[in-house]
């Protein structure tokens, strides 16, 4: 079975998906503490981060074998072991303080 079929067959509750969701939940909590509007998506392990101004929201995933939060087509990333730093990096990115 391929990965998509396994996720569908288990209702998306493979240990890998649960681990990704837990990491995204920690990031969501850190972003919320900074006043950033973000939504944890149930349909897929992803975090939808809304920009404070006009613009498309940003999708954040756990990638690179579970080691990094990644966004902007995986061009940007931050280690999952530093959740607070990832939240600050994302906040800077969506507010235009870094590119």
């Amino acid at each position: 079975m391929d990965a998509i079929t396994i996720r569908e067959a288990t209702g998306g509750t493979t240990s890998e998906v649960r681990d990704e969701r837990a990491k995204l939940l920690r990031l969501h909590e850190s972003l919320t503490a900074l006043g950033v509007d973000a939504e944890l998506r149930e349909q897929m392990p992803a975090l939808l981060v809304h920009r404070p101004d006009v613009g498309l929201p940003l999708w954040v995933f756990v990638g690179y074998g579970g080691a990094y939060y990644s966004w902007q087509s995986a061009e940007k990333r931050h280690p999952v072991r530093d959740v607070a730093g990832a939240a600050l990096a994302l906040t800077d990115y969506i507010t235009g303080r870094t590119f």
Side-chain angles (χ1 to χ4, degrees):
M1 296 180 110
D2 64 16
I4 293 173
T5 305
I6 292 169
R7 285 183 183 177
E8 290 172 356
T10 62
T13 58
T14 64
S15 61
E16 177 185 319
V17 172
R18 284 191 304 268
D19 182 54
E20 288 175 10
R21 285 186 178 150
K23 290 173 181 175
L24 290 166
L25 180 59
R26 288 191 292 274
L27 180 60
H28 178 266
E29 291 168 351
S30 290
L31 287 167
T32 300
L34 293 172
V36 175
D37 184 20
E39 301 173 41
L40 191 55
R41 306 303 281 197
E42 288 298 320
Q43 303 86 345
M44 68 176 120
L47 189 64
L48 184 63
V49 179
H50 298 280
R51 296 176 189 273
D53 55 1
V54 177
L56 294 173
L58 184 69
W59 287 98
V60 179
F61 299 91
V62 174
Y64 300 94
Y68 289 90
Y69 296 111
S70 63
W71 62 95
Q72 191 59 38
S73 301
E75 291 177 16
K76 304 289 184 183
R77 64 182 183 206
H78 196 90
V80 296
R81 68 181 180 274
D82 179 21
V83 178
L88 288 172
L90 277 162
T91 301
D92 286 346
Y93 185 78
I94 64 170
T95 57
R97 290 190 289 249
T98 60
F99 296 95

